[in-house]
Amino acid sequence: MISRNLFKGNLVSMTASVFILTLLVLLDINGINYAFSKVSQVIMWIIWFLSIPSYLSYRSSLLERGEILEYLAPIAIVITFVGLIFLSVGKFLGIELIVFGYIFEPIAGVSIFLTLKKVSVLFSSLFFYGAIVFTAGLPLFLINLGIISIIGDIIKMFGLAYFIYKFK
């Protein structure tokens, strides 16, 4: 059975995914330097702030191998915070740190995947592997292949949408 906190974590993650998708599309259209725009930075700060209630909700869920999420998600949150600070002062290192921080997302998501796959292997796989494709696609914005990351985020959202609908 899915806990209420797992449902809340999925809901917050879906909200963040909508902001992420918006940002990815903007970056794909305008190029990587658009990350330095005020619009992009506001979106990234919103995504970062959403990571906290998402983490807290998932952490208080009864996740399989919950220690993976418990220890790795805070590392991602701290690294992306530092990246956002650097980005806010116009340093490209900020983008690099944000991408590095996101590497921990699918790893921390193993706990969620293992828990959700008891309900649906298909949709938990969409969620998990979508997150991997999203993360792996982030550096590809540098060579105008950001569409890979966009596709990954959309796939992840399909998986999340199923669990949100199923357990509303």
Side-chain angles (χ1 to χ4, degrees):
M1 182 63 186
I2 299 297
S3 75
R4 198 76 195 137
N5 287 329
L6 183 55
F7 172 79
K8 289 178 188 175
N10 287 342
L11 196 57
V12 175
S13 290
M14 176 62 91
T15 303
S17 290
V18 170
F19 281 103
I20 289 168
L21 182 60
T22 302
L23 179 62
L24 295 176
V25 169
L26 288 170
L27 290 171
D28 195 50
I29 291 168
N30 298 302
I32 192 71
N33 284 328
Y34 190 72
F36 294 101
S37 73
K38 291 296 178 201
V39 170
S40 288
Q41 290 182 34
V42 166
I43 293 170
M44 284 189 251
W45 279 107
I46 291 169
I47 294 164
W48 184 84
F49 279 110
L50 288 170
S51 72
I52 295 169
S54 177
Y55 166 68
L56 294 174
S57 294
Y58 283 135
R59 183 174 176 237
S60 59
S61 301
L62 300 173
L63 297 176
E64 292 267 332
R65 304 291 317 265
E67 67 276 5
I68 297 171
L69 178 120
E70 186 173 343
Y71 295 112
L72 293 181
I75 294 170
I77 291 168
V78 168
I79 292 170
T80 55
F81 177 76
V82 172
L84 283 167
I85 298 296
F86 276 100
L87 184 68
S88 296
V89 297
K91 302 293 182 189
F92 195 82
L93 176 62
I95 294 172
E96 295 168 329
L97 287 170
I98 291 166
V99 170
F100 178 63
Y102 266 94
I103 290 171
F104 293 95
E105 179 188 354
I107 301 168
V110 166
S111 301
I112 302 163
F113 168 71
L114 292 173
T115 303
L116 293 177
K117 87 174 193 171
K118 293 176 183 175
V119 177
S120 171
V121 172
L122 172 63
F123 288 100
S124 62
S125 295
L126 288 174
F127 165 71
F128 181 67
Y129 293 111
I132 290 172
V133 171
F134 155 69
T135 303
L138 288 174
L140 299 178
F141 274 95
L142 293 172
I143 56 171
N144 296 320
L145 287 175
I147 190 69
I148 304 297
S149 192
I150 292 168
I151 290 168
D153 193 49
I154 292 169
I155 292 168
K156 179 178 79 172
M157 290 171 75
F158 274 111
L160 281 172
Y162 171 80
F163 292 108
I164 290 168
Y165 174 77
K166 183 159 178 68
F167 299 105
K168 62 181 176 192

